[in-house]
Amino acid sequence: MIVGYSSSSEDETENSSKDDGSPPQKRAKPDSETREEPLDGVSDKRKAIMTPRLPLPESVKEMFKESEEQWIDNSKDHGGRLRSFQHQRGNWATYVYLPYDPVEGFVELLDKIIEAAGSHSISLTSCEEFHVSISKTVVLRHHWIQPFIQSIRTSLTQFRRFFCLADTLRVYCNAEKTRTFLGMEISTGKPQLLELIKIVDQTMNEFNLSTFYKDPSFHVSLAWCVGDQTERLKRECLSELQGLVDRHEDGPFHIPLNCKEVRCKSGNKVFLFPLQ
């Protein structure tokens, strides 16, 4: 005999101790299933869900206000300089360089150079720190920083220390024409610098970032001014400024760089890569 079973509790019959031949009675549905909706069509439970939420306290709103506001870059906050790219949260301006620690007499000479340019109504501002760039300034997302740094560190493992010398003033302008730089060009150590560029460019390619210039002029930036003042500096005072370098009291002034480590600055963090 085949017996049919039903999985639905609604189809189950209720047992009776009295066998009176009457047909079995179906079990009544629970109240929760047979309760009728109110006349207005909205149950008490739904009404509770639809009850308006209390407004968020102002103190809580203030906690997240900063993340919702758009960053406004004011050039007056940093000497008139303009960003090369729009500031965005989570984006870190990053570049690779060789540091230069000024030797005795450097600051005095730079002060004379700035003063001489000022006599031609060209207002130069001393750079805050001095270095030789071996990459363009690129933008890294925060989660890229560690793999980017590790890539450079691994690539530089076998690179040996070397020596550079800078002695000739040159004028440079950034790609956006928003700032002009007075720098001292490297005359000794170019082959090693070009090898460094190849290594750093490999990492840049890994992350689909801009590589360095094809025909670079390696230099230490000394001072800067707002706007494109390239032709004016060359025409009015570059030779005079070079004369200050050549006629330094202890002989022609050179910038010596003992290149024993490469650095990478990403946002406010600086990573060091000692050379062999």
Side-chain angles (χ1 to χ4, degrees):
M1 180 184 293
I2 299 175
V3 180
Y5 293 96
S6 173
S7 61
S8 172
S9 61
E10 293 180 9
D11 293 334
E12 291 179 2
T13 58
E14 185 174 322
N15 292 327
S16 174
S17 58
K18 184 179 179 180
D19 186 9
D20 56 3
S22 60
Q25 300 295 318
K26 289 189 176 182
R27 183 179 298 166
K29 292 183 180 180
D31 290 345
S32 60
E33 295 183 13
T34 59
R35 183 179 298 148
E36 295 183 358
E37 294 286 343
L39 294 178
D40 60 3
V42 182
S43 67
D44 292 340
K45 185 182 293 185
R46 289 179 182 176
K47 285 182 178 180
I49 295 174
M50 295 172 61
T51 301
R53 295 180 180 179
L54 294 174
L56 203 62
E58 289 298 323
S59 58
V60 176
K61 291 181 180 179
E62 289 295 324
M63 293 170 61
F64 303 97
K65 185 177 180 181
E66 183 180 355
S67 62
E68 296 173 356
E69 292 177 347
Q70 183 178 5
W71 179 276
I72 300 175
D73 187 28
N74 189 347
S75 62
K76 293 180 181 179
D77 294 339
H78 30 79
R81 290 174 291 180
L82 297 174
R83 290 182 181 272
S84 298
F85 43 83
Q86 182 64 35
H87 171 86
Q88 291 183 359
R89 293 187 182 279
N91 284 355
W92 294 56
T94 304
Y95 61 95
V96 186
Y97 63 98
L98 292 161
Y100 168 62
D101 296 321
V103 297
E104 185 179 355
F106 172 82
V107 175
E108 291 81 359
L109 175 61
L110 182 53
D111 287 342
K112 291 180 180 179
I113 288 173
I114 292 175
E115 182 180 355
S119 68
H120 294 270
S121 299
I122 299 175
S123 179
L124 291 177
T125 301
S126 174
C127 292
E128 296 175 0
E129 50 92 22
F130 307 96
H131 64 264
V132 179
S133 295
I134 53 176
S135 83
K136 292 182 179 179
T137 298
V138 296
V139 177
L140 285 182
R141 299 295 295 171
H142 186 267
H143 59 278
W144 289 359
I145 295 176
Q146 286 304 325
F148 180 89
I149 295 301
Q150 186 57 48
S151 175
I152 293 179
R153 190 182 303 281
T154 301
S155 301
L156 291 175
T157 302
Q158 302 300 322
F159 206 93
R160 302 187 67 83
R161 300 180 181 188
F162 62 101
F163 182 80
C164 283
L165 197 69
D167 52 16
T168 305
L169 293 180
R170 292 282 185 267
V171 181
Y172 304 90
C173 190
N174 64 359
E176 297 78 19
K177 306 297 183 184
T178 57
R179 279 207 289 169
T180 302
F181 297 86
L182 180 68
M184 192 170 284
E185 189 178 33
I186 299 290
S187 58
T188 302
K190 288 182 180 179
Q192 293 91 334
L193 289 171
L194 289 170
E195 286 301 314
L196 274 179
I197 295 300
K198 289 181 182 178
I199 291 174
V200 175
D201 277 355
Q202 288 174 1
T203 295
M204 293 296 180
N205 283 324
E206 272 183 57
F207 290 83
N208 294 319
L209 299 170
S210 297
T211 55
F212 206 54
Y213 307 99
K214 296 302 179 184
D215 186 21
S217 172
F218 299 108
H219 62 277
V220 178
S221 291
L222 308 178
W224 61 273
C225 59
V226 176
D228 184 0
Q229 304 290 337
T230 307
E231 293 305 319
R232 188 179 172 200
L233 265 169
K234 288 180 178 179
R235 182 178 64 252
E236 296 185 16
C237 62
L238 184 59
S239 59
E240 178 184 342
L241 303 183
Q242 183 64 50
L244 293 174
V245 173
D246 295 338
R247 296 189 299 272
H248 190 257
E249 56 187 18
D250 295 327
F253 188 88
H254 301 143
I255 289 181
L257 289 97
N258 185 12
C259 304
K260 56 184 180 181
E261 72 177 15
V262 173
R263 295 181 185 177
C264 177
K265 186 170 185 179
S266 187
N268 58 358
K269 297 182 179 180
V270 177
F271 301 88
L272 311 182
F273 313 100
L275 301 181
Q276 295 295 319

